[in-house]
Amino acid sequence: MVSEHAPPLARATLDRSAHRRTDPDWLAEAWERARVLVLDSTDEGRALVRGPAAPPELVLVGPGELPEVPRSVPMFLGVEPDGVPVFAVDSTLPELPDTRRAHLREVGHLLVDRDAGIFTTALALLNWHRRHGYSAATGQPTQVDEAGWSRVDPTGDRTWPRTDPAMIVLVHDAVAGPDGRCLLGNNATWPRVPGERRFSCLAGYVEPGESAEAAVLREVREEVGVAVEEIRYAASQAWPFPGSLMLGFLARADADAPIRVDPAEIAHARWFTRQEIGAALAGERVPVGGGDRLVLPPSSSIALFLVRHWLDDRA
């Protein structure tokens, strides 16, 4: 299970052993004794987990247990503490008893540190490869190189995996106790679920030439028209859907300041008390208007980590 001190997808135990990525002899030998995570790119990158025990266990297989020739070359993820190398491949998932297909969003927060780190890294790499089949510089088709950690075209132009930095912020009023409030928004692009309305932290991509803190100021102002101050970094985690790094912050704002949403991005925004957030987390119905109840962010997200962090900070 995820630690309360770290976002759910910020946990890992693998030694990435980056110096091995350019050693073909070592990689060939390592593959023969490896543990392999199979991801299915035709099913949103799902993998197998073994359950229903809690926490679910990520299923890794031997190279000889793959059901067919993989759609990707083996991607070297790192070395376990026991010295066994770990790879990931894109392939049809094997048929194994007592297993089920699972998405990282669904189980990331339930996995132990080792499994969370393996799944997150593998899915991030898989999604990057799927979007970089051609060189942005030359337009030539690219091939996987360096054990999955780069792509190169026939001219030698090489590209490495990129992560898009994004900020996400829990805006609060700095009031202690159950009456303290946080400002959450309902994104205009989220699917509508009858009887429910999901609210989450405000977020957005960091633009070129901009610091993460400047992005916090800009995005909150653009999305809800509120000025923030006392911006404080909290934590970060990968969000490989397809390839972001979420930089989590907390920031203070005046709860009496008018909210002016940008309807292209935010459908609804409002302040919630600690009492309301605590009730929603406890499974109680918190009305948000129109007959809807409050739904909070998914458990694998850093958004819920930030909400819980603020909820517990009652001083």
Side-chain angles (χ1 to χ4, degrees), residues 225-274:
V226 172
V228 297
E229 55 187 359
E230 296 179 17
I231 298 171
R232 178 164 57 92
Y233 174 76
S236 67
Q237 77 166 24
W239 192 244
F241 312 112
S244 298
L245 174 66
M246 304 302 298
L247 305 170
F249 293 87
L250 292 98
R252 184 176 68 82
D254 181 359
D256 293 325
I259 296 174
R260 301 185 181 90
V261 301
D262 175 0
E265 295 197 53
I266 303 295
H268 307 276
R270 54 162 286 188
W271 291 88
F272 293 91
T273 65
R274 278 194 178 87

Side-chain angles (χ1 to χ4, degrees), residues 185-201:
N186 170 251
N187 194 289
T189 65
W190 287 339
R192 179 78 169 87
V193 178
E196 299 181 353
R197 193 179 303 169
R198 177 155 59 100
F199 282 82
S200 186
C201 301

